[in-house]
Structure formats: C-alpha cells, structure tokens
C-alpha cells in the first residue's frame, strides 16, 4: 500500500500509527501537498495528505476513512469498537482531537501570512477552540483502552508540541499531560514523531 506522506502532518501520523499498531507495511511517498504534485492530485483530487492507494488500487483520501480501512484489514486489537457506547465514545474523542488538529494546522498555515485584524481574530478563535477541546480531553479517563480516539489525541498533542511549543498545553491539564507522556512511548507514536 502506498501512502502519500508528509512527516509534519498530524493526519498522516494518525494513519501511520494505526498501520504500525496493526503491523501493516506502508510505502511512504513524500510529497508537499501545497505544491499539488501530479501523482498526488491523480490519487487525491483535493491535494491533501494523507492519501492511501490500497493493494487493490483503491485511492482513499481523508485520514478518518484511511484509519478505519486499515483497522478493518489489520489483525491487531481493533481501534474502532464495532458497536454501541464504546464505538461512539471512541469516535467522539477522535472527533475532538481531529478538531484540535484542524484548528492547529489552520493556525500554522495562517501564521506565516500578514497578520491583519481579521486574521488575528481567526487565530484567537482557533486557539480558544483548541484550549476548550483540550480541557474536554483532560476530563477523559486516562486508563481507557487504546482506541482511535486515543490515537488521534496523541497525534494532536504531539503536533502542538511540534508547532506551538511556546504555548504550554500541559499547564492546568495534569491528567492529560500524564496520559500523553505514557502513551507517546508506545511504538506507533515513538516511531512517528513529527519532523520537518
Ligand atoms: N481532513 C483531512 C485533513 C488533511 C489535511 O488537511 N492535510 C494537510 C497537511 S497537515 C494538507 O494536506 N494540506 C494541504 C492543503 O490544504 O492544500 C484528513 O483528515 O486527512
């Protein structure tokens, strides 16, 4: 399977973490999605990473879809509980963490542009949303089993450390900080630390 890859992307990291968890091999194809390279655009018209081309030749875009696909073919412990409250709980936490990634990537992309008043307002809004979502994650059970929610949360927090190291997300969130320090040592995360 071929994965269009960027070593800095938290969405790509989520996919790679799921693959490692399941012992699935991915051929990483490094691309800069912002340059819309021909090969990526053919497989993902949206020109975003991650994009996966399966062994059947199916081109899948969006990390949520790709993670669920990999979980469905992997032989490790399932990261997507198949029904009921455990499923919706895992997806609920994943949605919160993905929202953090989206807002943080948005801040990063816009941070390099001229900071007029409108842009500053958007940045403050995104920053506040991240803060509230982290407060919600602080209230989660740190001993819950590893699900896609936990995978997404670890990747979101790793991205904040990587791109926003000067903004201390750990302050006032001791449970989340403790959970992260433990979780980030697991192979799927230790082997995918963001770079770039
Ligand atoms: N919802 C998408 C978001 C993917 C995404 O935004 N990826 C960024 C890199 S972190 C990207 O490819 N950006 C290129 C662009 O927006 O043109 C997912 O979950 O895969």
């Amino acid at each position: 399977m071929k994965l269009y890859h960027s070593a800095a992307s938290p969405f790509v990291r989520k996919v790679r973490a799921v693959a490692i968890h399941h012992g699935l091999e991915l051929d990483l194809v490094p691309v800069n999605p912002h340059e819309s390279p021909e090969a990526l655009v053919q497989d993902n018209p949206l020109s975003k990473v991650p994009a996966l081309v399966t062994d059947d030749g199916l081109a899948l875009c969006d990390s949520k879809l790709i993670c669920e696909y990999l979980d469905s073919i992997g032989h490790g412990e399932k990261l997507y509980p198949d029904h009921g409250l455990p499923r919706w709980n895992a997806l609920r936490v994943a949605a919160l963490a993905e929202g953090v990634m989206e807002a943080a990537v948005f801040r990063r992309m816009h941070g390099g542009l001229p900071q007029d008043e409108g842009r500053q307002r958007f940045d403050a809004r995104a920053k506040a949303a991240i803060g509230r979502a982290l407060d919600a994650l602080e209230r989660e059970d740190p001993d819950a089993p590893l699900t896609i929610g936990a995978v997404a949360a670890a990747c979101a927090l790793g991205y904040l450390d990587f791109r926003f190291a000067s903004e201390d997300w750990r302050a006032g969130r001791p449970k989340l900080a403790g959970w992260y320090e433990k979780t980030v040592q697991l192979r799927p995360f230790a082997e995918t630390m963001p770079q770039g």
Side-chain angles (χ1 to χ4, degrees):
M1 284 181 289
K2 179 168 85 175
L3 181 74
Y4 290 100
H5 171 260
S6 150
S9 166
F11 301 101
V12 172
R13 186 181 186 198
K14 188 161 58 108
V15 166
R16 289 190 63 207
V18 171
I20 292 170
H21 170 84
H22 281 299
L24 296 167
E25 290 285 328
L26 298 175
D27 290 334
L28 301 184
V29 180
V31 285
N32 180 347
H34 299 284
E35 291 172 354
S36 306
E38 189 56 35
L40 173 63
V41 169
Q42 274 195 9
D43 286 324
N44 180 2
L46 301 170
S47 191
K48 284 182 188 280
V49 290
L52 181 83
V53 182
T54 69
D55 289 342
D56 308 314
L58 202 60
L60 302 179
C61 62
D62 198 281
S63 61
K64 295 193 257 322
L65 175 62
I66 299 169
C67 287
E68 191 155 4
Y69 172 78
L70 294 178
D71 198 55
S72 77
I73 63 169
H75 296 296
E77 284 279 312
K78 292 295 176 202
L79 295 168
Y80 287 77
D82 60 6
H83 68 278
L85 200 54
R87 177 173 177 80
W88 299 114
N89 238 339
L91 293 180
R92 178 184 62 79
V93 175
L96 262 180
E98 280 148 9
V100 170
M101 287 181 202
E102 275 159 25
V105 168
F106 170 90
R107 292 189 69 201
R108 164 78 186 167
M109 297 317 304
H110 287 248
L113 301 174
Q115 295 299 300
D116 59 23
E117 202 192 312
R119 206 157 257 140
Q120 284 171 6
R121 222 175 22 244
F122 273 120
D123 183 72
R125 218 176 125 63
K127 186 175 176 184
I130 292 171
R132 289 190 301 266
L134 296 183
D135 289 343
L137 291 176
E138 168 73 6
R139 295 191 288 272
E140 296 296 323
D141 174 7
D143 298 318
L146 192 76
T147 65
I148 191 60
V151 171
C155 295
L157 296 172
Y159 187 75
L160 294 179
D161 276 349
F162 179 57
R163 291 299 194 205
F164 296 92
S166 63
E167 298 177 13
D168 184 11
W169 64 261
R170 290 170 176 81
R173 302 184 185 103
K175 247 171 50 177
L176 188 60
W179 173 84
Y180 179 71
E181 292 329 313
K182 201 177 58 180
T183 305
V184 80
Q185 289 168 32
L186 302 175
R187 250 192 81 216
F189 308 107
E191 292 184 7
T192 58
M193 291 305 279
Q195 288 164 28

